Amino acid sequence: MKKILVPTDFSPEAENALKVAAQLARRRDGEIFLLHMLELPLQQVDVMNTPSELPEAMFFMKLAHQKFEELLSKDYLKGLTIHETIRTDGTFSNLVEKGHEFKADLIIMGSHGTSGIKEMFIGSNAEKVVRTSDIPVLVIKNHHENFLVENFVFASDFKNDNKETYKQALTLVKEFNAKMHLLMVNTANNFIPTSEARQRILDFIKDYEFDNYTLNIYNDTSVENGILNFSKEINADLIGISTHGRQGIAHFFNGSISEDLVNHAKRPVITFKI
């Protein structure tokens, strides 16, 4: 977590994400890439500050710079390395591309946390960013005076294609010195006997040297409900889940638990791309 990308629309939700990013960057001597994206036709914006064919574009550019100045003057950002960037060549739909451009190893975004298929945050819907990002995405729902992770839920089906995401989760857990709660949710439509589920989890983690964990098989009406209810029961500080990054018709039929969690969870969620 040395390079953190934080997209902002200057909303309170975006600032909640920035405050968390500041804490993580300070802990690791990292740097923050603060990105504001304007959906403007770049070729019509005059970079020499001469009269533009789009005066509205120049107005919004100046307004964004003004808001950046106000934001960067906040006490919680003092002493940190922050790169202020305004882009007019795209929208949040290509946020991941910007993450790669900045060599970011974490994206932190704010969310209203409302429900419904049209959940929107920071100018884009959660589904698009979480589904397409191969960079871990941490979604922050509320203000965190001190962002500490003591109990981390890693929810998975514990099949082999999740191992790379587990390695990423381990790195995060070790950094926070947190306890990891390994969670498999059983549902009526996809039921696995407890003994079989337990053995699958043990086989999954056997090659990794880490013993600060609990092993949990939880029954519920859906995987999403199981993750949310279990996390509430143990008062988890963070939920981690893998996403397949399905798009198009495959996503229509299969859906995405990670996207639903980003929409509905009241606590922070981090997603790892399989």
Side-chain angles (χ1 to χ4, degrees):
M1 295 186 292
K2 295 284 286 186
K3 293 187 176 183
I4 304 172
L5 172 61
V6 183
T8 182
D9 59 358
F10 307 108
S11 66
E13 291 76 22
E15 189 167 7
N16 287 339
L18 181 58
K19 288 177 179 178
V20 170
Q23 295 178 49
L24 297 182
R26 203 176 296 281
R27 185 179 296 136
R28 287 290 307 275
D29 193 26
E31 52 188 323
I32 295 172
F33 295 84
L34 190 57
L35 175 66
H36 180 64
M37 302 185 76
L38 291 171
E39 192 173 0
L40 299 172
L42 183 62
Q43 69 275 11
Q44 297 189 53
V45 178
D46 194 330
V47 297
M48 301 302 293
N49 293 321
T50 54
S52 171
E53 294 181 10
L54 271 185
E56 296 88 354
M58 300 308 298
F59 169 78
F60 284 115
M61 289 282 286
K62 291 178 180 178
L63 181 62
H65 280 296
Q66 179 183 336
K67 289 186 175 181
F68 263 129
E69 289 180 6
E70 295 172 0
L71 189 58
L72 294 175
S73 68
K74 300 293 180 71
D75 287 342
Y76 67 86
L77 295 176
K78 287 183 178 178
L80 293 174
T81 300
I82 300 178
H83 307 276
E84 166 196 341
T85 305
I86 298 176
R87 290 296 173 91
T88 61
D89 56 342
T91 65
F92 282 89
S93 62
N94 59 8
L95 175 63
V96 180
E97 178 184 328
K98 302 302 179 187
H100 286 296
E101 181 180 326
F102 301 140
K103 295 182 167 50
D105 45 34
L106 179 66
I107 298 172
I108 303 183
M109 306 187 78
S111 170
H112 294 283
T114 56
S115 61
I117 196 168
K118 292 186 177 180
E119 155 73 358
M120 303 289 286
F121 72 113
I122 318 302
S124 180
N125 62 70
E127 298 172 0
K128 187 173 292 184
V129 178
V130 168
R131 191 190 319 150
T132 60
S133 180
D134 54 356
I135 302 169
V137 180
L138 173 59
V139 180
I140 299 297
K141 297 298 185 73
N142 304 297
H143 170 73
H144 294 268
E145 190 67 33
N146 293 298
F147 186 71
L148 299 174
V149 179
E150 297 179 351
N151 291 289
F152 175 79
V153 173
F154 181 75
S156 175
D157 58 10
F158 296 95
K159 295 181 179 178
N160 287 334
D161 61 352
N162 275 300
K163 285 196 172 183
E164 182 58 37
T165 63
Y166 179 66
K167 287 169 60 178
Q168 296 178 59
L170 273 182
T171 299
L172 184 69
V173 166
K174 291 176 180 178
E175 188 160 316
F176 279 103
N177 194 27
K179 179 181 286 292
M180 179 181 282
H181 301 272
L182 303 169
L183 174 66
M184 180 186 290
V185 177
N186 251 335
T187 64
N189 293 331
N190 192 21
F191 181 81
I192 302 175
T194 298
S195 59
E196 182 180 332
R198 180 180 178 84
Q199 190 58 51
R200 183 193 289 185
I201 299 174
L202 291 174
D203 289 342
F204 182 89
I205 65 174
K206 66 181 180 181
D207 296 327
Y208 302 93
E209 294 184 8
F210 183 77
D211 57 9
N212 188 19
Y213 69 87
T214 66
L215 193 153
N216 307 273
I217 295 94
Y218 194 91
N219 300 326
D220 214 318
T221 54
S222 70
V223 174
E224 180 193 351
N225 286 341
I227 296 171
L228 293 175
N229 290 331
F230 175 80
S231 299
K232 181 179 180 180
E233 285 182 13
I234 69 165
N235 194 25
D237 302 295
L238 180 62
I239 300 171
I241 190 167
S242 308
T243 176
H244 286 82
R246 294 188 179 99
Q247 300 185 51
I249 196 165
H251 178 264
F252 179 81
F253 285 113
N254 292 289
S256 172
I257 296 166
S258 58
E259 295 162 25
D260 290 339
L261 281 173
V262 166
N263 282 344
H264 304 146
K266 295 181 179 179
R267 60 196 76 234
V269 176
I270 186 166
T271 63
F272 307 98
K273 176 76 172 292
I274 294 176

